[in-house]
Amino acid sequence: MEEPTTNHYREGQEGEERDPESNNTLQSPLLLKRNRTLSTNHLAIIGTKVSHIESLDYEINENDLFKHDWRSRSREQVLQYVFMKWILALIVGLLTGVIASLINLAIENIAGFKLLAVAKFIKEERNFEGFLYFTGANLALTAFASILVVCFAPTAAGPGIPEIKAYLNGVDTPNMYGASTLIVKIFGSIGAVSAGLDLGKEGPLVHIGACLASLLGQGGPDNYRVKWRWMRYFNNDRDRRDLITCGAASGVCAAFRSPIGGVLFALEEVATWWRSALLWRTFFSTAVVVVVLRAFMEYCGSGDCGLFGQGGLIMFDVSSVTVTYHAMDLLPVVIIGVIGGVLGSLYNYLLHKVLRVYNLINEKGRGHKLLLSLAVSIFTSVCLYCLPFFAHCSPCDPSLPDSACPTNGRTGNFKQFNCPAGYYNDLASLLHTTNDDAVRNIFSTSTPTEFHPVSLLVFFGVYCILGLITFGIAVPSGLFLPIILMGSAYGRLLGMAMGPYTRIDQGLFSVLGAASLMAGSMRMTVSLCVIFLELTNNLLLLPITMLVLLISKTVGDAFNPSIYEIILHLKGLPFLDANPEPWMRTLTVAELADAKSPVITLCGVEKVSRIVEVLQNTTHNGFPVVDQGTVPPIGLPDGASELHGIILRAHLVAVLRKKWFLKEKRRTEDWEVRKVFTSIDLAERGFKIDEVLVTKDEMEMYVDLHPLTNTTPFTVLESLSVAKAMVLFRSVGLRHMLIVPKYQLTGVSPVVGILTRQDLLAHNILNAFPDIKSKERGKKGKQITLEVSQQQNGNISSHEA
């Protein structure tokens, strides 16, 4: 067989890592070396390691085996497949609801007994002993959560939502959905939230739902998979993506008891690809979660759940409040929206800086990560315990019943703390309680004189500082609750200032403040509006809530991206944005192909030695299959070449593992390949070329690649703009995009090049084309270039960093 002469590998810079998604050619000492101009960075921080990042195969691989499998399936098998999708959606919702209920039950009881013991010490005026008990209990709980994360599952740190966004965008985030991550996330969330840290369980619940969905889709953990035939149908990236979407929506629903909000959160914030059938299954999963949560709350209403009571689920029912407002009330609403956008963008900026500092500390090892978590816990305990002693005692309202003011229990708006009989400490009602109870207290309506402005200002400042230093330590953490508490504080402060001029209740101002800060930081609108609508149970709040969210997001977008986008860039995950840069319309995909090394192609019937050489000397995951000298259709010259399709690396490795070789160069019959392979066999991943042993005699044999080749790859003309290619790549969920010539000439390859995810990232293109004028790149392009240069200097952060 004549060896190809057009496929050679060009080395990059010395010591440079090879990109598994880019298509360089094989090494050849006969050619001069040329540095790559389209550089790619395929490394990202996952957990505590710098990992190689690859894309996922969301595209349907329509080879001969796949087509035969679908043709041969009976109607009953198709119905079984659809039925199993609904069953898995049911199980995802059921398990997420049960686990969320158990997490809430554990947190409320652990934190509740801790706070009751502290209240007893304070009542007996044993303040120092109470401080030691409070600090020691929080330190032990934080150490428990941090040790689990540092030693057993580093990927369980943080909320996990950015990684879910990246996965559903097409990025394979390693070790994010394993059984160990799920277990550590559950128990770590219980420990961290019970320790009184300024974090929530909402983000971890989203990650927990995604882990459950992933494990169910693949039949369990890697070492203990269920080998049922029905389960093997879901052993592919496409069905796993749908299940993880259901899991993420179920997690949001479990956190806020908001089924519609969970579906819209998955649609607006995490999912890149959507369709109507997925909408129905996601809604079904969230409906199951709500049923489980309602059953759990009904059961615990009888007092059989210890201190759970009405706690554990963020809810603030303001349906009894009459919401009336006139034209002048729109002014404070607009002010809340502007403040929320400014503070949200400022919070994102400061959190970005804190994470970069934490990276320098965490790089020193596990011990430093643990010490950082413990230091944050001690500082948090000192603030929460000591600050209420400096607050003034306020007399109880005579109209309130004696049982309501003051209180010494775990719950209640009017905590006595260190005050005499008939007086209460308003700051203690916010700091000496669980985070969920603090939300209820500060959102309480018809209590215009309950909180002093200084107390609210102290509460806002403390939670701003604690929120910045807590997110990023090695514990499972969420951003929702800290932002809600900060936003509600300045919302209520503004309500106090505008009290004589508005009819809106101060509690409703707190709701609007929380919504504005969340929109200003996370940049969510539709899903956030529905979540707050379902939580408040008051439809009259809808118009002003929508106005606040739109203003906050607009103001925040003028300063920086959302917090999740910032974290994605910090971790180095190659996330494709929905909107391409304007200057991308001035470039064509042919120009990107010219900036890369020539593409590697394989023949339809290829020699084994050639396949081994390609797999050993490259890390590419896709190779175009080209047939030379085929019989052309009428009207084309002889000697034309045919683009048969594209074949994946995993399928080439499967061929070598099964040793499906031919002694002569020929095409095989359909029955020959079906005798050895099935479409389910080709879905297996994880095998490497280093694990395959090929003898010298086998090297001289041949392989027919036609039956395993995807004959319907997505191809684009070389004249297509990069902006349009990026939209197509992201919308369809591609891993490889083939570029074909505009004119087919004799003796010219039918493939100009291959584009992958890394090639379409804005900062990679800017580095490859420095001659693009800065005014065409735009302001955002400059920010990306600056951020990439900082990352290249070793300042990449992560959630744990």
Side-chain angles (χ1 to χ4, degrees), residues 394-474:
S394 303
C396 293
D397 189 346
S399 62
L400 295 173
D402 295 337
S403 59
C405 180
T407 59
N408 290 315
R410 182 178 59 91
T411 60
N413 286 36
F414 306 93
K415 285 204 170 185
Q416 184 174 0
F417 199 64
N418 62 331
C419 297
Y423 289 78
Y424 72 95
N425 190 316
D426 59 343
L427 189 56
S429 66
L430 298 176
L431 297 181
H432 272 255
T433 184
T434 62
N435 289 338
D436 290 356
D437 285 332
V439 171
R440 293 187 192 88
N441 294 345
I442 201 170
F443 282 9
S444 59
T445 56
S446 302
T447 54
T449 60
E450 176 183 353
F451 298 102
H452 194 273
V454 176
S455 298
L456 288 175
L457 192 60
V458 171
F459 176 78
F460 174 74
V462 167
Y463 266 80
C464 283
I465 297 173
L466 294 180
L468 289 173
I469 67 174
T470 303
F471 186 80
I473 63 176

Side-chain angles (χ1 to χ4, degrees), residues 107 134 241 436:
I107 290 174
F134 184 73
R241 171 187 63 183
D436 290 356

Side-chain angles (χ1 to χ4, degrees), residues 17 41-45 50-53 571-574 758 796:
E17 295 283 352
N41 177 22
H42 61 285
L43 301 176
I45 295 181
V50 178
S51 304
H52 289 267
I53 297 299
K571 295 176 90 48
L573 295 171
Q758 300 288 348
I796 302 178

Side-chain angles (χ1 to χ4, degrees), residues 248-267:
S250 299
V252 175
C253 177
F256 297 102
R257 209 182 66 172
S258 173
I260 309 299
V263 175
L264 292 177
F265 175 85
L267 172 61

